[in-house]
Amino acid sequence: MGTEEQSGQKTAASKIAPATGKLGVMVVGLGAVATTMIAGVEAVRRGLAKPIGSLTQMGTIRLGKRTDNKSPLIKDFVPLADLNDIVFTGWDIFEDNVYESAAHAKVLDKDLLEQLKPYLETIKPLPAVFDQYYVKRLHGTHVKQGKTKRDLANQVMDDIKAFQKTVDRVVVIWAASTEIFIEPTAVHQSIEAFEAGLENNDIGISSSQIYAYAALSLGVPFANGAPNLTVDFPAMVALSKKNSAPICGRDFKTGQTFMKTVLAPALKARMLGVSGWFSTNILGNRDGEVLDDPQSFKTKEESKLGSLEYIFQPDLYPDLYKDIYHKIRINYYPPRGDDKEAWDNIDIFGWLGYPMQIKVNFLCRDSILAAPIALDLILFMDLAKRTPSLQSIGIQEWLSFYLKAPQTAEGLYPEHDLFIQSMKLKNTLRHIMGVDLITHLGLEYYD
Ligand SMILES: NC(=O)c1ccc[n+]([C@@H]2O[C@H](COP(=O)([O-])OP(=O)(O)OC[C@H]3O[C@@H](n4cnc5c(N)ncnc54)[C@H](O)[C@@H]3O)[C@@H](O)[C@H]2O)c1
């Protein structure tokens, strides 16, 4: 790397505020995903386990030419918060502390949980904003009271402000249950309309939107790990930009959709046709129970359906993808708990139209896949907030890598292809650090 390049790198990087002090993480919903993440971070901090699945902790990033042999760890390249500096808190509709909730979720072994118990017991949820209208299958007992949605938003802001006094920076992440499907209406179109809606209890404003509004109003980044309509409408985008509070969503890309966004780009790259893609799942955790309600399922279904349509671009390739029959099923099956099983049957066709089939059977652990994604989103959202060129742009599309239905600027279709998303993420990191982007052209090696 030449001196000019080095100084370019220094200038861009030096503008990013350092990750000094404590990073406060407020998790909405201390259920399976959240407790698996929190317990996992503590296990890693104590040297009991490795942060497998986390790009921020284990991933490297190539800098310069292939012949330079320079691939530092991402966490050594960009200034990310250290795991030891993270302080967790959160909200839930049940009073269980993180140890009790993790024990209930049955994702992690008893042995590990017992070792972590003294720490996990100290994290107790704050009372939640909850209205059963938006999540039919749950009956919350640990909830805030308020005459209007504005009162509730103010109470969440008070929670955040109190926590801010004890840490240096805060990020909020939604890992709570999937809400019913909501279409944006007039109340979602501007900050003013949304604020009027808070005063008059507009039905289009769900609990998740109240948390997001509170966070963004205080300039705090907000990531949405569930498929509900939470930050992806004009009022939230405007608030995010106005207060330099980065946003991203929606829905952690964990099992089946993760596989889809790997396989579909491969089929398309080879110009193989697809006539049908049938995806079915069984899962027995609380998430599965909530998704058993048709209105919450619709929210999830919409989020899972989008990826194939965008990857295959049937308008560009009508001979290959015009008539795909794409079906998704999620069945609540209690015996499996968090150990989800997903099946995909893909009917494809090749040379001269001859048919073939692909079967995928993924026996995964939902929260084991989701926990490192939640952690990475938290760390990268904190980085975005400290980075001048990212903090005021609103939607952090470079984090699409982690999301099933990535939020994008209005009128822009989302990139679902996992490898494009990965390249976009790493190039964004190179860009903010002022080093050359990698295009994979590689002609220079043959000069
Ligand atoms: N596990 C995965 O792989 C995965 C993948 C993608 C998305 N998600 C989404 O992440 C979310 C969490 O999944 P999970 O498996 O941890 O579910 P979970 O049911 O174990 O946890 C959700 C928690 O949120 C709480 N909650 C519900 N409404 C709330 C509110 N208004 N305020 C505060 N807390 C509230 C519940 O009491 C529960 O403790 C779900 O929406 C799920 O669809 C999960």
Side-chain angles (χ1 to χ4, degrees), residues 28-33 91-94 128-130 138 174-178 207 211 225-226 251-252 254 285-287 300 366-367 370 404:
V28 192
L30 292 169
V33 172
W91 296 269
D92 206 286
I93 63 170
F94 300 114
V129 174
F130 181 73
L138 296 181
W174 176 274
S177 312
T178 302
S207 312
Y211 288 99
D251 212 2
F252 301 129
T254 48
N285 56 16
R286 194 182 277 151
D287 185 27
K300 194 58 140 187
D366 238 10
S367 303
K404 270 206 242 331

Side-chain angles (χ1 to χ4, degrees), residues 54 88 130 135 147 158 317 340 441 443:
S54 162
F88 290 106
F130 181 73
V135 187
K147 266 213 194 92
D158 289 343
Y317 306 103
K340 179 154 106 181
L441 179 64
L443 284 178

Side-chain angles (χ1 to χ4, degrees), residues 154-286:
N154 288 345
Q155 290 176 45
V156 175
M157 281 194 237
D158 289 343
D159 290 344
I160 299 175
K161 283 187 209 156
F163 190 50
Q164 278 176 324
K165 290 196 180 122
T166 67
V167 292
D168 296 272
R169 306 177 308 283
V170 171
V171 169
V172 175
I173 185 165
W174 176 274
S177 312
T178 302
E179 297 177 325
I180 58 170
F181 185 70
I182 297 176
E183 300 260 24
T185 57
V187 78
H188 300 106
Q189 300 311 316
S190 67
I191 301 177
E192 296 69 30
F194 190 86
E195 287 178 340
L198 284 173
E199 301 287 352
N200 56 39
N201 291 330
D202 192 291
I203 198 159
I205 300 182
S206 64
S207 312
S208 67
Q209 295 171 26
I210 295 175
Y211 288 99
Y213 172 81
L216 301 183
S217 296
L218 296 173
V220 169
F222 188 101
N224 180 17
N228 20 264
L229 182 79
T230 300
V231 284
D232 32 7
F233 51 84
M236 290 294 179
V237 175
L239 197 58
S240 160
K241 288 184 176 170
K242 182 175 159 215
N243 295 336
S244 299
I247 49 174
C248 72
R250 2 168 175 165
D251 212 2
F252 301 129
K253 177 153 89 173
T254 48
Q256 196 165 48
T257 309
F258 163 53
M259 287 296 157
K260 258 184 198 165
T261 61
V262 171
L263 285 175
L267 297 171
K268 190 175 95 176
R270 285 290 178 89
M271 292 290 107
L272 292 168
V274 178
S275 55
W277 197 310
F278 179 73
S279 304
T280 187
N281 299 269
I282 52 173
L283 84 162
N285 56 16
R286 194 182 277 151

